[in-house]
Amino acid sequence: MLYSEKVMDHFRNPRNIGKMDDADAVGEVGNARCGDIMKMYLKIEDGIIKDVKFNTFGCASAIATSSIATEMIKGQKIEDALKLTNKAVVEALDGLPPAKIHCSVLAEEAVKAALADYYKKQGLPVDPSIFGCVDCESCGGCGV
Amino acid sequence: MIYLKTVYADNAATTPLCAEAFEAMKQSMLEDYANASSLHTPGQIAAAKVLEARREIAELIGANADEIYFTSGGTESDNWAITSAALRGEKQGKKHIISTAFEHHAVLHTLKDLERRGFDVTYLDVHSDGYVRPDELEKAIRADTCLVTVMYANNEIGTIQPIDEIGRICKEKKVCFHTDAVQAVGHLPINVKAQNIDMLSFSSHKFHGPKGIGALYCRKGIILANFMQGGAQEHGKRPGTVNTPAILGTAAALKKSCADMEKNARYVSDLRDRLIDSILTTIPRSRLNGGRSERLPGNASFCFEGIEGESLLLHLDLKGICGSSGSACTSGSLDPSHVLLALGLPHEIAHGSLRLTLSEYNTAEDVDRIISVLPQIVAMLRDMSPVWERIMKEENSDAVQ
């Protein structure tokens, strides 16, 4: 099998799937040309991520990485959610095939893009050293 | 978990072995163990069986027995044919080759290699319907053209190329014509002499024969280059101990496929048409890839907007349905299928491709299963897709305007 049981589980039964009408912040990363887009919605209260939802266009690992990333940040303080790395996502899924690592990068970026949106809405500075380059190019996967 | 019978709809990838081939191989594996190149009686018995199989195979495609060279399959045959023609051309100062942009990688990568070695390759447009235009081929032929290589039928979208006309043009212009007929042999009537085909590649496992064997038909008078050095097998051109069981299995499978060809084509294309009609009417924003008229009997290739092919494929697999996709994620690269891009489809749409390929082993119930499951999976994936959300938003704002 190409994917671990964990990946298949999150692909079959994605957690926190769907849209959020009253989201405090929304982040979208990837592009359709590369075949992956992740959109993440956050509900934030007192600096804590109270609720997360996501929508993803992409392959099984794109769906699984975004699903597990929402689980990993739900209930977390913003500062802790910003520490989520793609490596942690890969480990939580018991590994990804080498060609799919970029999906985990995208999941990390989706979280950061949503939090950057929150910062902007709050009038807070978005520090690139924390948020990184929040766009498709930084994944380096597709060379667009 | 409810046990579901597998619906195998990936016959363009490979086909199940037929009983005739299995029996022929089983018997041969047990009995014909002697080396067909040996001079003792068991060896000569094996050699006689191989010769008989070679004759049968040759006859079924309108060739002579000594024009059939057994290989490991389609990839080797394509590599061998194209490289040989290029070497011959180079000796005469002809370094131009004509092909298409949607060939199999066995052809395309061989051509890329030749380009690195100074050959000039023209890739004919296959247009949005997936067919080469003979007049465009004719115009592309130059004084230094040494080879035209155009596939008989495309492996992804099933479009059958105008081989008769291409053969006629190549004969007239005295240019060698090779065709990768991996998807066509055993499924479509072929006569290499009548169709002016100089070289033709095929693979046994695409018509219910064994894997790991195929052949190159090479018209008498055309000299093949040696890829490997060794013994005198295959006229000394393709050395290595003769694979007697696989050759007998190939002959048995091809005989069966050709005997039932008309019946199978009618049956399979009826299944295919019902599948295509149902999917295109029940799933909005779906399209059939490639023209409908000249199409392999079993091929149904779709694109569904707003979703990605690998997810679709794996959800189908969870429901016991085997298909394939030209999406980037299934190809191991980040670009979707070169075939779909050659049709001019944008990346976004080509990512959402699904190929279902049927054979005479499929049943009406198989098609019913696909029809009942596929629309739900597409709807479920669209429901979670930001791309689909955008498409719907645009559609609604268009409607308002």
Side-chain angles (χ1 to χ4, degrees), chain B residues 43-58:
Chain B
Q44 288 309 296
I45 290 171
K49 288 183 183 176
V50 168
L51 180 60
E52 181 54 26
R54 197 187 296 274
R55 281 192 186 124
E56 286 171 353
I57 292 164

Side-chain angles (χ1 to χ4, degrees), chain A residues 15-25 40-45 48-54 70-71 73-76 114-115:
Chain A
R15 328 292 201 260
N16 305 309
I17 189 92
K19 283 179 278 189
M20 198 190 282
D21 291 331
D22 58 345
D24 295 313
M40 214 164 267
Y41 303 83
L42 303 178
K43 189 90 197 134
I44 296 171
E45 274 171 38
I48 288 172
I49 298 169
K50 284 285 177 195
D51 199 10
V52 198
K53 291 273 183 225
F54 83 95
T70 61
E71 270 197 335
I73 61 163
K74 196 169 173 177
Q76 296 274 314
L115 288 169

